[in-house]
Amino acid sequence: MKDKNILRSTELTAVLGRAEFDKLSHVRGEDAWREYRDLYDKVSELSCVTDYPIQLDIELNASCNLKCPMCPISAESPKGKGKSTWFSFEDYKEIINEGVLKGLRAIKLNYINEPLIRKDLHKFIDYANKKGILDIYLSTNGLLMDQSVIKKLIQSGLTRIQISLDATSEEVYDKMRPGGNFKKTIDNVLNLIKIRNELNSVTPLIRVNFVKTNENEHQVDEFISQWEDKVEMIGIQEFIPPPISSKTISGSSSRDIYKDGFRCSFPFKQLVINNEKDVLPCCTFWGEYMKIGKLANDTSISELWNSQEMQKLRKLHLEGRYYENPICKKCVDSQ
Protein backbone atom coordinates (compact mmCIF):
# COMPACT_ATOMS: atom_id res chain seq x y z
CA MET A 1 0.00 0.00 0.00
CA LYS A 2 2.37 2.66 -1.28
CA ASP A 3 0.00 5.51 -2.05
CA LYS A 4 -1.75 7.37 0.74
CA ASN A 5 -4.48 9.21 -1.11
CA ILE A 6 -6.10 12.14 0.62
CA LEU A 7 -9.81 12.79 0.45
CA ARG A 8 -11.10 13.91 -2.93
CA SER A 9 -13.10 17.12 -2.83
CA THR A 10 -16.08 15.33 -4.36
CA GLU A 11 -16.06 12.25 -2.10
CA LEU A 12 -16.76 11.35 1.52
CA THR A 13 -14.14 8.64 1.97
CA ALA A 14 -10.35 8.77 1.80
CA VAL A 15 -8.97 5.54 0.36
CA LEU A 16 -5.42 4.45 1.09
CA GLY A 17 -4.10 2.03 -1.51
CA ARG A 18 -6.33 3.21 -4.35
CA ALA A 19 -3.63 2.23 -6.85
CA GLU A 20 -4.28 -1.41 -5.97
CA PHE A 21 -7.28 -1.22 -8.31
CA ASP A 22 -4.85 -1.80 -11.14
CA LYS A 23 -4.51 -5.43 -10.08
CA LEU A 24 -7.99 -6.01 -11.45
CA SER A 25 -6.89 -5.10 -14.97
CA HIS A 26 -5.14 -8.48 -15.15
CA VAL A 27 -8.42 -10.20 -14.27
CA ARG A 28 -10.89 -8.15 -16.30
CA GLY A 29 -8.72 -7.27 -19.30
CA GLU A 30 -6.43 -4.27 -19.35
CA ASP A 31 -8.20 -2.26 -22.06
CA ALA A 32 -11.71 -2.74 -20.66
CA TRP A 33 -10.58 -2.10 -17.10
CA ARG A 34 -8.62 1.03 -17.95
CA GLU A 35 -11.50 2.44 -19.97
CA TYR A 36 -13.84 1.83 -17.01
CA ARG A 37 -11.52 3.39 -14.42
CA ASP A 38 -10.72 6.39 -16.62
CA LEU A 39 -14.42 7.01 -17.09
CA TYR A 40 -15.06 6.50 -13.37
CA ASP A 41 -12.42 9.12 -12.57
CA LYS A 42 -14.03 11.58 -14.97
CA VAL A 43 -17.51 11.23 -13.52
CA SER A 44 -16.07 11.35 -10.00
CA GLU A 45 -14.48 14.67 -10.90
CA LEU A 46 -17.82 15.87 -12.37
CA SER A 47 -16.20 16.43 -15.75
CA CYS A 48 -18.71 14.40 -17.78
CA VAL A 49 -22.14 12.78 -17.64
CA THR A 50 -22.76 9.35 -19.14
CA ASP A 51 -25.98 8.26 -20.88
CA TYR A 52 -26.46 5.52 -18.28
CA PRO A 53 -25.10 5.28 -14.72
CA ILE A 54 -21.67 3.71 -14.62
CA GLN A 55 -22.65 2.03 -11.34
CA LEU A 56 -25.81 0.73 -9.70
CA ASP A 57 -26.14 -0.05 -5.99
CA ILE A 58 -28.83 -2.70 -5.44
CA GLU A 59 -30.28 -3.45 -2.01
CA LEU A 60 -31.12 -7.14 -2.20
CA ASN A 61 -32.53 -7.25 1.35
CA ALA A 62 -33.54 -4.47 3.75
CA SER A 63 -32.16 -6.11 6.86
CA CYS A 64 -29.07 -6.28 9.06
CA ASN A 65 -27.76 -8.43 11.89
CA LEU A 66 -26.46 -5.43 13.86
CA LYS A 67 -27.90 -2.16 15.15
CA CYS A 68 -24.98 0.26 14.86
CA PRO A 69 -25.53 3.78 16.25
CA MET A 70 -24.27 5.41 13.04
CA CYS A 71 -26.90 3.64 10.92
CA PRO A 72 -30.65 4.33 10.66
CA ILE A 73 -31.36 0.60 10.78
CA SER A 74 -30.57 0.88 14.49
CA ALA A 75 -33.71 2.98 14.95
CA GLU A 76 -36.05 1.50 12.36
CA SER A 77 -38.43 -1.36 13.01
CA PRO A 78 -37.63 -4.59 11.13
CA LYS A 79 -41.37 -5.23 10.74
CA GLY A 80 -42.33 -5.96 7.16
CA LYS A 81 -38.72 -6.37 6.03
CA GLY A 82 -38.49 -10.14 5.98
CA LYS A 83 -37.76 -12.41 3.04
CA SER A 84 -41.02 -11.50 1.30
CA THR A 85 -39.56 -8.04 0.61
CA TRP A 86 -36.24 -9.29 -0.75
CA PHE A 87 -35.19 -8.32 -4.28
CA SER A 88 -36.03 -11.15 -6.66
CA PHE A 89 -33.41 -12.78 -8.84
CA GLU A 90 -35.60 -12.36 -11.93
CA ASP A 91 -35.93 -8.58 -11.41
CA TYR A 92 -32.21 -8.38 -10.78
CA LYS A 93 -31.42 -10.22 -14.03
CA GLU A 94 -33.55 -7.75 -16.00
CA ILE A 95 -31.59 -4.84 -14.55
CA ILE A 96 -28.23 -6.46 -15.33
CA ASN A 97 -29.30 -7.47 -18.84
CA GLU A 98 -30.39 -3.92 -19.68
CA GLY A 99 -27.42 -2.33 -17.96
CA VAL A 100 -24.66 -4.22 -19.77
CA LEU A 101 -26.13 -3.11 -23.09
CA LYS A 102 -26.22 0.55 -22.06
CA GLY A 103 -22.89 1.10 -20.32
CA LEU A 104 -23.20 -0.30 -16.80
CA ARG A 105 -19.72 -1.26 -15.57
CA ALA A 106 -20.05 -1.72 -11.82
CA ILE A 107 -22.54 -2.90 -9.22
CA LYS A 108 -22.49 -2.73 -5.47
CA LEU A 109 -24.71 -5.41 -3.97
CA ASN A 110 -25.99 -3.51 -0.97
CA TYR A 111 -27.17 -0.12 0.26
CA ILE A 112 -27.31 0.25 4.05
CA ASN A 113 -28.18 -3.41 4.64
CA GLU A 114 -26.04 -6.45 5.42
CA PRO A 115 -25.76 -8.38 2.13
CA LEU A 116 -24.37 -11.63 3.56
CA ILE A 117 -27.75 -12.33 5.19
CA ARG A 118 -28.77 -13.64 1.77
CA LYS A 119 -27.53 -17.20 1.41
CA ASP A 120 -28.01 -16.97 -2.35
CA LEU A 121 -25.84 -13.87 -2.75
CA HIS A 122 -23.22 -15.76 -4.74
CA LYS A 123 -25.85 -16.44 -7.43
CA PHE A 124 -26.30 -12.68 -7.98
CA ILE A 125 -22.54 -12.16 -8.16
CA ASP A 126 -22.07 -15.03 -10.58
CA TYR A 127 -24.77 -13.76 -12.94
CA ALA A 128 -23.31 -10.25 -13.13
CA ASN A 129 -19.84 -11.71 -13.61
CA LYS A 130 -20.92 -13.92 -16.50
CA LYS A 131 -22.80 -11.02 -18.12
CA GLY A 132 -19.66 -8.92 -18.20
CA ILE A 133 -20.00 -6.48 -15.30
CA LEU A 134 -16.40 -5.45 -14.65
CA ASP A 135 -16.58 -4.44 -10.99
CA ILE A 136 -18.79 -6.35 -8.53
CA TYR A 137 -18.43 -5.45 -4.89
CA LEU A 138 -20.19 -5.11 -1.56
CA SER A 139 -19.81 -3.79 1.97
CA THR A 140 -20.31 -6.04 4.97
CA ASN A 141 -19.76 -6.07 8.71
CA GLY A 142 -17.98 -9.40 8.22
CA LEU A 143 -19.73 -11.34 10.99
CA LEU A 144 -21.37 -13.85 8.64
CA MET A 145 -18.26 -14.40 6.56
CA ASP A 146 -17.48 -18.00 7.47
CA GLN A 147 -15.33 -20.35 5.38
CA SER A 148 -18.21 -21.51 3.17
CA VAL A 149 -19.33 -17.95 2.43
CA ILE A 150 -15.77 -16.86 1.68
CA LYS A 151 -15.26 -19.61 -0.90
CA LYS A 152 -18.56 -18.81 -2.62
CA LEU A 153 -17.69 -15.10 -2.81
CA ILE A 154 -14.31 -15.85 -4.34
CA GLN A 155 -15.53 -18.48 -6.79
CA SER A 156 -18.55 -16.48 -7.97
CA GLY A 157 -16.37 -13.61 -9.19
CA LEU A 158 -16.61 -10.86 -6.56
CA THR A 159 -13.98 -8.27 -7.44
CA ARG A 160 -13.92 -6.28 -4.19
CA ILE A 161 -15.15 -6.54 -0.63
CA GLN A 162 -15.30 -3.81 2.00
CA ILE A 163 -15.43 -4.86 5.64
CA SER A 164 -16.52 -2.30 8.22
CA LEU A 165 -14.45 -2.60 11.40
CA ASP A 166 -14.19 0.95 12.82
CA ALA A 167 -11.92 0.00 15.73
CA THR A 168 -8.68 -1.59 16.84
CA SER A 169 -9.91 -2.78 20.23
CA GLU A 170 -12.87 -4.76 21.51
CA GLU A 171 -13.91 -1.95 23.84
CA VAL A 172 -14.29 0.59 21.04
CA TYR A 173 -15.72 -1.96 18.60
CA ASP A 174 -18.52 -2.78 21.04
CA LYS A 175 -19.50 0.90 21.09
CA MET A 176 -19.42 1.22 17.32
CA ARG A 177 -21.00 -2.13 16.49
CA PRO A 178 -23.09 -3.32 19.46
CA GLY A 179 -24.10 -6.94 19.17
CA GLY A 180 -21.07 -7.79 17.07
CA ASN A 181 -18.05 -9.88 17.92
CA PHE A 182 -14.69 -8.17 17.48
CA LYS A 183 -12.47 -11.24 17.62
CA LYS A 184 -14.70 -13.27 15.31
CA THR A 185 -14.82 -10.47 12.74
CA ILE A 186 -11.05 -9.98 12.74
CA ASP A 187 -10.56 -13.75 12.42
CA ASN A 188 -12.99 -13.78 9.48
CA VAL A 189 -11.02 -11.09 7.66
CA LEU A 190 -7.74 -12.91 8.22
CA ASN A 191 -9.35 -16.15 7.08
CA LEU A 192 -10.56 -14.42 3.90
CA ILE A 193 -6.98 -13.40 3.16
CA LYS A 194 -5.75 -16.94 3.86
CA ILE A 195 -8.35 -18.71 1.70
CA ARG A 196 -7.93 -16.25 -1.17
CA ASN A 197 -4.19 -16.95 -1.14
CA GLU A 198 -4.75 -20.71 -0.98
CA LEU A 199 -7.00 -20.48 -4.04
CA ASN A 200 -4.38 -18.36 -5.85
CA SER A 201 -7.03 -15.73 -6.51
CA VAL A 202 -6.40 -12.03 -7.03
CA THR A 203 -10.00 -11.29 -6.16
CA PRO A 204 -11.71 -10.05 -4.22
CA LEU A 205 -9.50 -7.12 -3.36
CA ILE A 206 -9.99 -6.43 0.33
CA ARG A 207 -10.68 -3.07 1.92
CA VAL A 208 -11.24 -2.48 5.63
CA ASN A 209 -13.30 0.57 6.58
CA PHE A 210 -13.15 2.98 9.48
CA VAL A 211 -15.92 5.55 10.05
CA LYS A 212 -14.52 8.36 12.19
CA THR A 213 -16.64 9.33 15.21
CA ASN A 214 -16.09 10.78 18.66
CA GLU A 215 -15.85 7.21 19.96
CA ASN A 216 -13.02 5.94 17.78
CA GLU A 217 -11.10 8.75 16.05
CA HIS A 218 -8.17 8.32 18.44
CA GLN A 219 -7.56 4.90 16.83
CA VAL A 220 -7.28 6.01 13.18
CA ASP A 221 -3.47 5.85 12.97
CA GLU A 222 -3.36 2.54 14.81
CA PHE A 223 -6.01 1.14 12.46
CA ILE A 224 -3.94 2.07 9.42
CA SER A 225 -0.81 0.54 10.92
CA GLN A 226 -2.70 -2.64 11.82
CA TRP A 227 -3.98 -3.28 8.30
CA GLU A 228 -1.70 -1.60 5.77
CA ASP A 229 0.44 -4.68 5.25
CA LYS A 230 -2.49 -7.11 5.19
CA VAL A 231 -5.12 -5.71 2.81
CA GLU A 232 -5.15 -3.83 -0.49
CA MET A 233 -7.09 -0.79 0.70
CA ILE A 234 -8.12 1.10 3.81
CA GLY A 235 -11.11 3.42 3.80
CA ILE A 236 -11.24 6.31 6.28
CA GLN A 237 -14.77 7.65 6.05
CA GLU A 238 -16.18 10.90 7.35
CA PHE A 239 -19.17 10.31 9.60
CA ILE A 240 -22.55 11.25 8.12
CA PRO A 241 -25.17 11.40 10.91
CA PRO A 242 -28.24 9.38 9.97
CA PRO A 243 -31.58 11.20 9.76
CA ILE A 244 -32.76 9.04 12.65
CA SER A 245 -30.70 7.06 15.14
CA SER A 246 -31.18 5.07 18.32
CA LYS A 247 -28.11 6.60 19.99
CA THR A 248 -26.21 9.86 20.06
CA ILE A 249 -22.93 9.78 18.22
CA SER A 250 -20.98 12.48 16.44
CA GLY A 251 -18.10 12.88 14.04
CA SER A 252 -14.73 14.58 14.06
CA SER A 253 -13.82 18.18 13.35
CA SER A 254 -12.06 17.35 10.08
CA ARG A 255 -15.44 17.15 8.37
CA ASP A 256 -15.44 20.97 8.06
CA ILE A 257 -13.45 20.57 4.83
CA TYR A 258 -16.69 19.80 3.03
CA LYS A 259 -18.63 22.96 3.70
CA ASP A 260 -16.73 25.34 1.41
CA GLY A 261 -17.34 24.47 -2.22
CA PHE A 262 -18.20 20.82 -1.67
CA ARG A 263 -19.51 19.15 -4.82
CA CYS A 264 -20.95 15.65 -4.55
CA SER A 265 -20.04 13.13 -7.24
CA PHE A 266 -22.80 10.61 -6.49
CA PRO A 267 -25.38 12.07 -8.93
CA PHE A 268 -22.79 11.86 -11.71
CA LYS A 269 -21.82 8.21 -11.39
CA GLN A 270 -24.46 6.02 -9.80
CA LEU A 271 -28.03 5.30 -8.76
CA VAL A 272 -29.30 3.26 -5.82
CA ILE A 273 -32.19 0.82 -6.13
CA ASN A 274 -33.55 -0.22 -2.75
CA ASN A 275 -35.42 -3.42 -1.99
CA GLU A 276 -38.74 -1.69 -2.71
CA LYS A 277 -37.41 -0.65 -6.15
CA ASP A 278 -37.30 3.02 -5.21
CA VAL A 279 -34.53 4.74 -7.17
CA LEU A 280 -32.27 7.11 -5.24
CA PRO A 281 -29.60 9.53 -6.53
CA CYS A 282 -27.34 9.05 -3.52
CA CYS A 283 -25.90 6.15 -1.49
CA THR A 284 -25.77 7.98 1.86
CA PHE A 285 -28.43 7.61 4.54
CA TRP A 286 -30.09 10.74 3.19
CA GLY A 287 -30.67 9.14 -0.20
CA GLU A 288 -34.01 7.69 0.90
CA TYR A 289 -35.33 11.24 1.27
CA MET A 290 -34.51 12.03 -2.37
CA LYS A 291 -36.41 9.40 -4.30
CA ILE A 292 -36.50 10.24 -7.99
CA GLY A 293 -38.84 7.46 -9.01
CA LYS A 294 -39.73 3.80 -8.82
CA LEU A 295 -38.87 1.02 -11.23
CA ALA A 296 -42.05 -0.09 -12.94
CA ASN A 297 -43.24 -1.35 -16.30
CA ASP A 298 -43.36 2.17 -17.67
CA THR A 299 -40.29 3.65 -15.97
CA SER A 300 -36.71 2.70 -16.81
CA ILE A 301 -33.37 3.40 -15.19
CA SER A 302 -32.33 5.34 -18.30
CA GLU A 303 -35.36 7.65 -18.01
CA LEU A 304 -34.73 8.34 -14.35
CA TRP A 305 -30.99 8.87 -14.87
CA ASN A 306 -31.65 11.45 -17.59
CA SER A 307 -34.65 13.06 -15.88
CA GLN A 308 -34.93 16.80 -15.29
CA GLU A 309 -34.69 16.15 -11.57
CA MET A 310 -31.28 14.48 -11.95
CA GLN A 311 -30.07 17.15 -14.35
CA LYS A 312 -31.03 19.85 -11.86
CA LEU A 313 -29.26 18.04 -9.02
CA ARG A 314 -26.09 17.68 -11.09
CA LYS A 315 -26.14 21.34 -12.02
CA LEU A 316 -26.37 22.38 -8.36
CA HIS A 317 -23.36 20.27 -7.39
CA LEU A 318 -21.38 21.18 -10.48
CA GLU A 319 -21.75 24.84 -9.49
CA GLY A 320 -21.07 24.20 -5.78
CA ARG A 321 -24.61 25.15 -4.75
CA TYR A 322 -25.50 21.95 -2.86
CA TYR A 323 -27.15 24.05 -0.13
CA GLU A 324 -30.01 24.94 -2.48
CA ASN A 325 -31.23 21.35 -2.22
CA PRO A 326 -32.63 20.99 1.32
CA ILE A 327 -31.67 17.31 1.65
CA CYS A 328 -28.13 17.83 0.36
CA LYS A 329 -27.80 20.78 2.74
CA LYS A 330 -28.82 18.64 5.70
CA CYS A 331 -26.40 15.92 4.67
CA VAL A 332 -23.36 18.17 4.17
CA ASP A 333 -24.07 20.59 7.02
CA SER A 334 -24.64 17.79 9.52
CA GLN A 335 -21.05 16.58 9.08
Side-chain angles (χ1 to χ4, degrees):
M1 191 178 297
K2 296 180 180 179
D3 68 319
K4 300 243 177 170
N5 291 26
I6 61 172
L7 188 67
R8 288 178 175 175
S9 61
T10 57
E11 296 182 347
L12 302 173
T13 302
V15 179
L16 284 65
R18 202 185 292 266
E20 297 290 334
F21 273 120
D22 288 341
K23 288 182 177 180
L24 294 174
S25 66
H26 305 299
V27 179
R28 295 309 200 191
E30 291 195 13
D31 291 342
W33 184 260
R34 180 46 50 203
E35 180 188 17
Y36 156 56
R37 291 313 299 177
D38 287 347
L39 183 58
Y40 193 91
D41 286 342
K42 288 179 181 178
V43 295
S44 296
E45 294 163 0
L46 284 57
S47 62
C48 74
V49 180
T50 54
D51 293 333
Y52 193 90
I54 194 171
Q55 175 174 318
L56 291 176
D57 295 6
I58 305 175
E59 184 180 53
L60 299 180
N61 58 286
S63 49
C64 188
N65 54 339
L66 293 181
K67 291 185 178 294
C68 305
M70 60 280 199
C71 178
I73 287 182
S74 66
E76 294 176 346
S77 169
K79 185 178 180 180
K81 295 185 178 179
K83 290 186 178 181
S84 63
T85 67
W86 285 9
F87 213 98
S88 77
F89 186 55
E90 292 305 313
D91 288 342
Y92 170 82
K93 288 196 296 184
E94 287 186 13
I95 291 172
I96 298 300
N97 292 345
E98 177 194 27
V100 293
L101 296 176
K102 296 189 175 182
L104 179 66
R105 264 83 159 192
I107 57 168
K108 182 185 176 193
L109 289 175
N110 67 298
Y111 175 32
I112 58 175
N113 60 306
E114 171 49 54
L116 297 187
I117 285 176
R118 289 202 62 151
K119 303 302 182 185
D120 60 348
L121 180 62
H122 63 283
K123 183 168 69 171
F124 291 78
I125 299 168
D126 182 66
Y127 188 82
N129 183 34
K130 288 178 178 176
K131 282 293 180 177
I133 299 295
L134 294 175
D135 198 7
I136 308 164
Y137 73 108
L138 56 85
S139 293
T140 173
N141 58 45
L143 273 170
L144 302 176
M145 200 168 59
D146 61 23
Q147 181 168 309
S148 174
V149 169
I150 289 171
K151 287 185 176 180
K152 287 179 180 179
L153 292 178
I154 295 172
Q155 293 167 349
S156 59
L158 189 70
T159 56
R160 294 188 282 141
I161 187 168
Q162 300 174 175
I163 303 129
S164 299
L165 299 176
D166 307 317
T168 62
S169 67
E170 186 171 4
E171 178 185 6
V172 173
Y173 178 87
D174 288 345
K175 293 177 182 178
M176 296 293 295
R177 300 196 166 269
N181 184 315
F182 181 67
K183 184 181 184 305
K184 179 180 179 181
T185 304
I186 298 299
D187 287 345
N188 286 348
V189 179
L190 297 177
N191 200 30
L192 168 61
I193 297 169
K194 177 176 177 288
I195 293 174
R196 187 186 64 176
N197 291 341
E198 289 174 349
L199 294 175
N200 294 316
S201 178
V202 173
T203 58
L205 299 186
I206 302 167
R207 179 174 124 185
V208 290
N209 282 346
F210 189 103
V211 178
K212 289 194 296 182
T213 73
N214 58 318
E215 297 286 358
N216 68 354
E217 60 183 332
H218 62 285
Q219 293 189 336
V220 171
D221 291 340
E222 184 180 357
F223 185 81
I224 293 172
S225 297
Q226 178 180 346
W227 290 104
E228 62 182 341
D229 294 327
K230 297 182 178 70
V231 299
E232 283 75 33
M233 289 166 280
I234 299 173
I236 307 298
Q237 183 176 337
E238 296 298 322
F239 173 67
I240 300 176
I244 55 174
S245 178
S246 62
K247 295 182 180 180
T248 300
I249 195 166
S250 60
S252 63
S253 59
S254 63
R255 59 211 163 128
D256 291 338
I257 62 175
Y258 293 126
K259 297 186 180 180
D260 294 327
F262 175 65
R263 305 181 304 153
C264 185
S265 65
F266 291 147
F268 289 78
K269 62 189 179 186
Q270 67 198 82
L271 289 177
V272 176
I273 306 170
N274 69 13
N275 74 301
E276 297 176 340
K277 298 186 178 62
D278 293 322
V279 180
L280 321 175
C282 170
C283 67
T284 73
F285 302 134
W286 293 92
E288 289 197 295
Y289 293 82
M290 299 178 67
K291 296 173 185 176
I292 61 170
K294 196 178 191 76
L295 287 188
N297 292 333
D298 57 348
T299 306
S300 69
I301 292 172
S302 292
E303 290 170 329
L304 294 173
W305 177 248
N306 294 292
S307 65
Q308 289 187 356
E309 189 173 358
M310 283 299 294
Q311 291 178 40
K312 181 179 178 181
L313 187 61
R314 292 187 192 111
K315 181 176 172 60
L316 284 180
H317 282 282
L318 189 62
E319 297 175 355
R321 296 184 290 119
Y322 72 86
Y323 47 82
E324 293 184 20
N325 181 294
I327 303 302
C328 293
K329 186 178 189 320
K330 287 180 180 178
C331 176
V332 178
D333 290 356
S334 67
Q335 297 172 49

